[in-house]
Amino acid sequence: MDRTIDLDQAAATIAERLPRWQALGLVAQPLTWRDEAAAWPRPLLTERSSVHDPDSVGIVLTGPNDTELHVVLFRGGWADIDFCADFDRGDYGSLPTPCLTSAAEFPDHLDRWVSRVWPSTA
């Protein structure tokens, strides 16, 4: 099955949530893009205009007490989700992610991942 996630649509989903996250005290790092057409090792770029064939889009959110969430969505439908909610209590690691079939599925998953690390955002 050939599936391609619209990463620009996923980036728009992230952008829509930025004001709410900022109001909750979360800090968003610039989006990172990886270009499939770039030579290996493919660098992470922050300017979408410099990416010709986007392979992934990612964001890092940080919050109080060194909490972090790293989200990388790949156009093939999978995502890498790593978090640290409370290092001292062992509440860190990777979150399971289903294989997405469209960018329309991304917002619900993104909200769930954010609320896992910062329950007050739910």
Side-chain angles (χ1 to χ4, degrees), residues 17-45:
R17 285 155 172 73
L18 289 175
R20 186 179 71 205
W21 292 340
Q22 291 169 343
L24 293 167
L26 305 180
V27 176
Q29 302 301 314
L31 290 180
T32 57
W33 297 87
R34 191 174 79 170
D35 192 334
E36 177 70 22
W40 191 261
R42 296 181 186 107
L44 295 179
L45 305 169

Side-chain angles (χ1 to χ4, degrees), residues 42-121:
R42 296 181 186 107
L44 295 179
L45 305 169
T46 56
E47 294 296 325
R48 171 62 179 95
S49 61
S50 61
V51 176
H52 304 289
D53 187 13
D55 178 48
S56 71
V57 62
I59 182 121
V60 174
L61 294 171
T62 58
N65 302 316
D66 299 324
T67 53
E68 289 189 3
L69 177 67
H70 299 239
V71 175
V72 180
L73 178 64
F74 295 88
R75 70 178 175 195
W78 65 92
D80 291 339
I81 312 299
D82 297 309
F83 75 102
C84 181
D86 189 335
F87 187 77
D88 292 336
R89 295 179 129 176
D91 190 12
Y92 59 89
S94 297
L95 295 176
T97 59
C99 194
L100 305 178
T101 58
S102 75
E105 295 176 307
F106 182 60
D108 289 338
H109 291 289
L110 180 60
D111 292 342
R112 196 168 22 258
W113 299 324
V114 169
S115 67
R116 166 60 180 86
V117 179
W118 298 283
S120 63
T121 62

